[in-house]
Structure formats: C-alpha cells, structure tokens
Amino acid sequence: MRDPYAVLGVQRDATPRQVARAHRRLAKRFHPDLHPDAATLREMQRINEAWQILSVPARRAEWDRLHPVPAARAAADPG
C-alpha cells in the first residue's frame, strides 16, 4: 500500500475534515461511473484504501506508528 497521505494529497497533520475533503475531491475526479477504464478503477481503489486508513482514528494511528516519518524528513517538513 502506498502512503495514504500521499494518495490523498494531504499532510500527516491533516485534520479529519481535510482528509474527508481530499477523498471527496478525488472520488469525484476518479469515480468509475464517470471514467469506466481499468486505470481509473485502480486509482479509485487506491483512493478508497487510503480513505479506509485515514478516516478511522485507530487505523490512522496504527499507520502512523508503523510508518514513522524519518527524522530528516520530519525536520524538513514544517507540516
């Protein structure tokens, strides 16, 4: 699984509302009803997988625990 934050295009400190907005925006853009090709379907699956992780606080905390930001990147990324 790719980094769910990268998939949705949000920072690690994004609020639940920001995560929801990003998911909604991408779902509208890549919805298979609008674009019924295989590539769009795969992208929508990635978007939904990211949403399933980041929309549930316990899952999000587990992802963050298992995938810490490297110290150099954390220092360079102001948030």
Side-chain angles (χ1 to χ4, degrees):
M1 163 91 216
R2 285 183 49 202
D3 179 351
Y5 295 101
V7 171
L8 295 183
V10 297
Q11 298 293 320
R12 278 181 91 101
D13 64 350
T15 66
R17 187 174 187 170
Q18 290 170 322
V19 171
R21 283 182 179 169
H23 175 260
R24 193 174 312 112
R25 176 181 47 81
L26 291 170
K28 286 179 182 179
R29 181 174 172 194
F30 291 101
H31 198 282
D33 286 350
L34 300 175
H35 310 282
D37 59 271
T40 302
L41 178 60
R42 283 190 302 275
E43 185 62 24
M44 193 67 216
Q45 288 171 337
R46 283 190 284 270
I47 291 164
N48 285 334
E49 287 172 2
W51 170 246
Q52 288 174 351
I53 292 169
L54 298 182
S55 66
V56 178
R59 287 187 194 145
R60 183 174 178 172
E62 180 70 1
W63 173 270
D64 291 346
R65 185 182 68 77
L66 294 173
H67 302 88
V69 177
R73 187 170 140 209
D77 186 9

